[in-house]
Amino acid sequence: MESPLISVIVPVYNSEDFLDQCLESIVNQTYKNLEILVVDDGSTDSSGDKCDQWASRDSRIRVIHQPNGGHSAARNTALDAITGQWLIMVDSDDVLHTEFAATLLDVALRHSADIAVGDYTAFYGDRPHFDTPRNPAPETTLSRHEALLAVFYQHGLTHSPWGRIFKSSLFASVRFPLGIIYEDLAIIYPLLCGCDRVATVGRVLYGYRQHATNSMRVFSPRRADVLNVCESLERLMAQSDSQYLAAVRSRLLSAYFNILLLSDQDRQHDYSQLGDRCWQGIKRLRSECLLDPHVRLKNRLGIIASYLGRWALCQVVGRHYMPKP
């Protein structure tokens, strides 16, 4: 039976507390035909040394040391160096189920899919809880069109690069933009446009670690990158691919809600201009999105609340409703 080579990309920056557990979960995969590219992105702690120590113990690991350029730069460096037919990306503080690679490759091959996506669990502390299914996990397939709608309408398919396996050829002309967060949202459209089919399996295979330094858990003006990315996607769809314009506007509305509510809760800084930008965006999109039957329930609730005014949305609804970014 053919065992195609899978490239595993691990960008590393100051991850000394979690790196051993992450790399252990990769080298202990039941699927063994791996090349593991670990990019030390200018770490100032012991992470670089740990990477080299792991490489000395496992010949499948190749370490690239480079000056700090950010998550995107580290991933792009690895993308330029991979040789595998398939590709997995793992954040250096996360953990894989031992059958992650084997399961997702099997799902992708059986369904002739370009991407296969598993479920994930967010965890605190030492180790994630991976369920061992007694029955076969449900599998589905999505066309390119269905996958794009699912991502932009936020119907169960995320834009994250982790938790899935890709055909490496999808990244032949796709690279992560530098200097922003939400870089994965910025590339999801060209990435999925290169697909014929996406397969999913309802099995928890990826452990997404939660801790205080997660950039998505701490508000800063950089979080507004999501607005720039979504507004850019809106302009692109309006010009060249209008079939996804309504879905992208639903995604943009989620971003406006999220950033408005988060910035309003920060009492130490003045984010009034950012809040005004979000409020104007909500008013621009809410009527169209309310009439769109595909818009998710959370957005509908936010829209209804917004008609009570900005204060009501932030002070009342914001305590109970926080859309994911």
Side-chain angles (χ1 to χ4, degrees):
M1 181 176 179
E2 180 186 8
S3 297
L5 179 65
I6 299 176
S7 299
V8 184
I9 291 177
V10 188
V12 175
Y13 178 73
N14 290 355
S15 303
E16 61 182 3
D17 292 337
F18 311 114
L19 184 59
D20 286 335
Q21 187 181 11
C22 173
L23 293 179
E24 179 182 31
S25 75
I26 296 171
V27 301
N28 288 338
Q29 289 291 296
T30 57
Y31 190 90
K32 300 302 182 183
N33 193 21
L34 308 175
E35 67 167 4
I36 306 165
L37 286 88
V38 182
V39 181
D40 170 31
D41 190 45
S43 296
T44 57
D45 64 2
S46 64
S47 296
D49 291 336
K50 284 180 176 286
C51 292
D52 292 334
Q53 291 165 12
W54 275 97
S56 69
R57 298 198 296 266
D58 194 312
S59 61
R60 297 173 299 173
I61 297 177
R62 178 153 46 112
V63 179
I64 302 172
H65 297 278
Q66 67 180 31
N68 180 249
H71 225 58
S72 291
R75 285 178 176 153
N76 290 344
T77 293
L79 285 170
D80 291 337
I82 62 172
T83 63
Q85 299 161 262
W86 292 86
L87 170 64
I88 291 168
M89 298 189 191
V90 186
D91 286 350
S92 59
D93 52 355
D94 293 341
V95 182
L96 299 183
H97 188 291
T98 55
E99 296 177 0
F100 179 94
T103 300
L104 291 187
L105 179 62
D106 174 66
V107 170
L109 293 176
R110 283 192 291 102
H111 292 284
S112 300
D114 305 287
I115 302 174
V117 184
D119 204 351
Y120 73 93
T121 180
F123 73 101
Y124 296 86
D126 186 40
R127 293 189 178 275
H129 176 69
F130 293 124
D131 294 326
T132 302
R134 297 179 179 177
N135 300 308
E139 297 176 6
T140 62
T141 59
L142 302 171
S143 68
R144 174 196 306 124
H145 178 71
E146 291 169 331
L148 281 164
L149 291 177
V151 168
F152 291 138
Y153 276 122
Q154 297 170 281
H155 289 167
L157 189 63
T158 72
H159 51 77
S160 301
W162 45 259
R164 57 207 63 197
I165 192 169
F166 305 87
K167 277 187 178 177
S168 300
S169 57
L170 294 175
F171 285 89
S173 59
V174 174
R175 292 294 183 271
F176 292 94
L178 303 179
I180 66 169
I181 57 177
Y182 296 96
E183 70 283 352
D184 44 2
L185 179 57
I187 68 164
I188 195 63
Y189 176 70
L191 197 64
L192 287 178
C193 281
C195 290
D196 289 324
R197 187 177 292 109
V198 176
T200 70
V201 57
R203 184 177 176 190
V204 176
L205 297 168
Y206 192 95
Y208 175 45
R209 189 186 300 274
Q210 306 291 291
H211 52 82
T213 58
N214 274 352
S215 62
M216 293 297 101
R217 296 182 59 80
V218 180
F219 181 74
S220 76
R222 290 195 66 201
R223 292 288 297 271
D225 286 348
V226 69
L227 305 182
N228 298 330
V229 170
C230 288
E231 288 170 351
S232 177
L233 282 168
E234 183 188 25
R235 290 190 295 271
L236 176 64
M237 299 308 153
Q239 295 168 3
S240 63
D241 207 349
S242 59
Q243 63 180 324
Y244 301 115
L245 181 57
V248 167
R249 283 178 171 162
S250 176
R251 183 63 184 82
L252 175 56
L253 184 66
S254 288
Y256 284 139
F257 279 137
N258 185 256
I259 299 302
L260 176 63
L261 297 175
L262 285 175
S263 62
D264 181 74
Q265 291 175 358
D266 191 320
R267 304 304 182 188
Q268 297 181 340
H269 303 91
D270 180 10
Y271 294 123
S272 57
Q273 289 187 333
L274 180 57
D276 290 345
R277 175 184 177 185
C278 292
W279 179 242
Q280 293 305 315
I282 290 168
K283 291 195 294 182
R284 176 173 67 88
L285 297 177
R286 61 187 178 184
S287 295
E288 176 184 337
C289 288
L290 187 60
L291 295 175
D292 183 346
H294 303 293
V295 169
R296 65 180 184 164
L297 178 60
K298 282 186 176 182
N299 278 7
R300 293 180 178 280
L301 295 175
I303 290 168
I304 293 169
S306 75
Y307 282 108
L308 300 175
R310 177 172 171 175
W311 184 90
L313 175 65
C314 294
Q315 300 301 319
V316 180
V317 180
R319 298 175 187 173
H320 307 286
Y321 163 63
M322 184 64 68
K324 292 182 180 179

